[in-house]
Amino acid sequence: MRTPSLLFVYGTLLVALVFQLFPWSSKGVIARPDFMLVVLLYWFFRAPHLCNIGTAWIAGALVDLATGSLLGQHALAFTLIAYLAISFQRRLVLFNAFQLLFFTFGLLTLNRLTILILKLFSGNELPNLHYFWPVITGVILLQVMQFALGKITQPTSNKAD
Amino acid sequence: MLKGVHQKLEPQQTPAFFVHGASPFSRMVLFCALSITLMAVDAKLNYLSQVRQAFIGGLHPIERIADIPSEFIRDASRYFSVHNELVQENYILKQQAFEHAIKLQRLNTLQVENDHLRSLLGGVIPIHPKAILGDISHTGRDPFRNVVIINRGSRHNIQAGQAVVDAKGVLGQVTRVYPFSSEVTLITDKNLSIPVQVERNQLRAIAFGQSGNTLDIPYLPTNVDIKIGDKLVTSGIDGIYPAGLAVATVTKIDQDPKSPFAKIISTPTAKVSHHLQLLILELPESKEAQIPLPDTDNALQKPTEQEVQPNAHP
């Protein structure tokens, strides 16, 4: 596994933004994963020197601008998640696949909860439980990303040598 | 010396164990503060609407790319629609056109007669607004808001505050305008209200958007003369929606004698999810163009009338 280039990281983030912009029909929008956050999480875990809290904040602000929600909501949520993800990043090599799965599940749930609280403060109604579907699809998406772009948990030194 | 050694180690092998620079906690605090400031600025001041407009304008090419798959599927399914269906549809449409043509003949005479009578009475002749045809490009991406995005924007002279209708009735109001697209808030959105009139008895009221794709008419007395099935049309007193457009049908009334107000729920007649075309009506030119209604006996003067255009002309 080679170190990904900065350009590659930003490329995947741009692709995530395009996916976020897909015109999802009413059924699909329920289960749409938070593409941007999942891609960010992948890079937090794998290459925190290329993708850090600042990147998360900018990506969150872009999502806010693109989706038309109050500017700063996603930025704040992504910043908090980035902080948690990065502070646990060094421990990730000790995690097995299941632990990583639960960790991402927790982070994605926390992201949804943060946005929910911010939305409620700005005068929106309480949604039903469908609101949390993207957490599950997000976890699946992260597994797909690991499959496509390389695993997070495996310590590389063992594999390379 | 130490610095030199450090530089040699700099190109890291994955996974990066040591992140340089400020500690994650201080970064987190800084960016949280930034986002909270942004939220406050965006919610309370209108400085950022231009930034948003420019960004969405710049994003237009990417949006077009994102739209390609769904457009392709739509076109393909249209291509494969059965010949029979088309013939049938054509037949129905012709029939409808015929019926409408007959009605229109009468309408023209009535219009002339109406204008004549109004001029005799010294009334102002209502102006019929011009309209622009638009397509729904997608429903909004924010699941919390009842909005659709249409493919007409400031390049097509769309302004915030314009009323949007479809063949069945009023859909909503343009709330944000971007260069190539604009955002239409539906009448069922919690933040939108629309002045209506009961078609049967001309009773005027204001309908508010409610969750679950319905409209709510609060503050009407328990003994109000509204029945299930009553049609609500726009009253035109706001000067944005032209008078007489269908808005909703009353579907549920809860007249509890203990409560001072009746609970009236109605369902919009416009069908957002059923078709793609809609009309964006032009805003009235000036205050004089607002249509004065002849009967002001049972006018409901409400303090909430300002809310009719929440985001218009910020």
Side-chain angles (χ1 to χ4, degrees):
Chain A
M1 193 162 70
R2 282 172 295 111
T3 315
S5 73
L6 192 63
L7 205 65
F8 184 62
V9 173
Y10 288 161
T12 50
L13 288 176
L14 188 72
V15 171
L17 185 65
V18 172
F19 269 91
Q20 199 96 36
L21 290 179
F22 265 136
W24 296 77
S25 56
S26 51
K27 289 270 163 56
V29 83
I30 293 172
R32 177 185 63 182
D34 299 313
F35 287 102
M36 194 57 120
L37 185 64
V38 173
V39 174
L40 278 172
L41 274 182
Y42 180 81
W43 291 123
F44 294 151
F45 294 156
R46 219 187 115 180
H49 59 294
L50 296 177
C51 182
N52 213 300
I53 297 175
T55 327
W57 186 80
I58 290 169
L62 286 181
V63 170
D64 279 326
L65 279 173
T67 55
S69 51
L70 189 65
L71 197 57
Q73 280 177 341
H74 282 88
L76 180 61
F78 285 12
T79 306
L80 288 175
I81 301 304
Y83 171 67
L84 287 177
I86 293 212
S87 33
F88 275 90
Q89 192 263 337
R90 289 174 207 177
R91 269 170 252 187
L92 279 179
V93 281
L94 303 173
F95 280 16
N96 62 30
F98 268 110
Q99 282 168 318
L100 184 78
L101 201 134
F102 279 113
F103 185 50
T104 46
F105 183 84
L107 287 181
L108 290 173
T109 313
L110 192 69
N111 167 57
R112 283 263 134 184
L113 277 177
T114 317
I115 290 176
L116 178 66
I117 290 166
L118 292 173
K119 294 267 184 190
L120 290 182
F121 266 119
S122 57
N124 287 286
E125 291 160 21
L126 200 68
N128 51 15
L129 278 175
H130 290 312
Y131 177 71
F132 288 99
W133 268 113
V135 175
I136 295 171
T137 49
V139 169
I140 296 168
L141 180 68
L142 195 76
Q143 303 305 313
V144 174
M145 278 196 73
Q146 282 199 68
F147 187 73
L149 300 174
K151 288 214 164 190
I152 299 165
T153 42
Q154 260 173 5
T156 40
S157 52
N158 294 0
K159 202 184 172 190
D161 299 330
Chain B
M1 273 289 108
L2 233 159
K3 206 179 171 189
V5 171
H6 199 70
Q7 272 170 350
K8 260 180 203 166
L9 288 173
E10 194 69 40
Q12 288 176 343
Q13 297 299 308
T14 49
F17 262 69
F18 301 104
V19 179
H20 301 276
S23 78
F25 185 75
S26 55
R27 285 189 206 200
M28 192 264 288
V29 170
L30 169 74
F31 285 114
C32 278
L34 257 179
S35 2
I36 289 167
T37 323
L38 257 186
M39 272 192 277
V41 170
D42 195 28
K44 296 290 166 209
L45 312 164
N46 276 316
Y47 295 143
L48 291 170
S49 64
Q50 302 218 326
V51 177
R52 202 185 278 274
Q53 268 188 22
F55 178 76
I56 297 275
L59 213 65
H60 188 65
I62 297 179
E63 273 194 318
R64 290 308 297 271
I65 295 170
D67 278 347
I68 286 172
S70 70
E71 264 173 30
F72 177 75
I73 291 168
R74 198 189 299 157
D75 289 349
S77 64
R78 204 180 288 165
Y79 181 80
F80 289 114
S81 68
V82 192
H83 174 75
N84 254 353
E85 260 173 45
L86 287 178
V87 172
Q88 215 163 20
E89 195 181 293
N90 195 13
Y91 177 72
I92 292 167
L93 287 176
K94 266 186 186 160
Q95 213 171 16
Q96 271 180 2
F98 183 65
E99 281 167 17
H100 290 166
I102 293 170
K103 276 187 190 163
L104 230 124
Q105 284 176 18
R106 285 187 53 224
L107 181 80
N108 283 338
T109 5
L110 285 175
Q111 184 103 52
V112 172
E113 193 184 314
N114 192 22
D115 287 354
H116 181 65
L117 287 173
R118 271 180 187 274
S119 64
L120 275 181
L121 288 167
V124 184
I125 296 163
I127 297 152
H128 294 279
K130 282 188 231 159
I132 302 166
L133 189 73
D135 285 344
I136 297 177
S137 11
H138 53 85
T139 53
R141 292 174 183 114
D142 189 349
F144 283 89
R145 305 177 61 215
N146 263 325
V147 295
V148 291
I149 310 294
I150 55 171
N151 67 346
R152 294 279 180 271
S154 55
R155 290 292 168 91
H156 311 92
N157 296 324
I158 303 291
Q159 289 170 352
Q162 284 184 301
V164 178
V165 298
D166 74 354
K168 295 273 171 64
V170 178
L171 269 181
Q173 207 176 1
V174 176
T175 42
R176 272 183 192 151
V177 184
Y178 308 122
F180 300 100
S181 57
S182 40
E183 185 190 271
V184 176
T185 305
L186 305 179
I187 45 172
T188 48
D189 192 278
K190 209 169 83 38
N191 294 319
L192 211 64
S193 49
I194 175 168
V196 292
Q197 205 168 19
V198 180
E199 204 179 41
R200 184 168 52 84
N201 58 5
Q202 308 285 299
L203 175 76
R204 233 173 276 156
I206 293 184
F208 292 84
Q210 219 193 14
S211 60
N213 211 20
T214 53
L215 292 169
D216 178 32
I217 309 170
Y219 319 129
L220 284 181
T222 316
N223 59 354
V224 70
D225 180 21
I226 290 186
K227 294 175 192 158
I228 288 178
D230 270 352
K231 291 213 162 55
L232 303 174
V233 297
T234 47
S235 63
I237 48 171
D238 52 306
I240 289 190
Y241 300 101
L245 292 172
V247 176
T249 318
V250 176
T251 45
K252 197 182 155 199
I253 303 173
D254 191 5
Q255 287 172 319
D256 182 9
K258 284 174 204 151
S259 148
F261 302 117
K263 193 167 167 55
I264 301 160
I265 305 289
S266 52
T267 319
T269 46
K271 296 272 184 285
V272 191
S273 47
H274 285 55
H275 34 165
L276 292 164
Q277 268 88 31
L278 39 76
L279 280 181
I280 307 127
L281 303 181
E282 215 159 71
L283 279 176
E285 294 282 313
S286 59
K287 292 287 168 202
E288 282 82 49
Q290 287 186 11
I291 307 151
L293 281 160
D295 57 329
T296 44
D297 305 339
N298 54 354
L300 281 159
Q301 293 301 325
K302 293 209 175 156
T304 44
E305 270 172 23
Q306 260 73 41
E307 287 176 22
V308 168
Q309 37 177 149
N311 291 335
H313 310 301

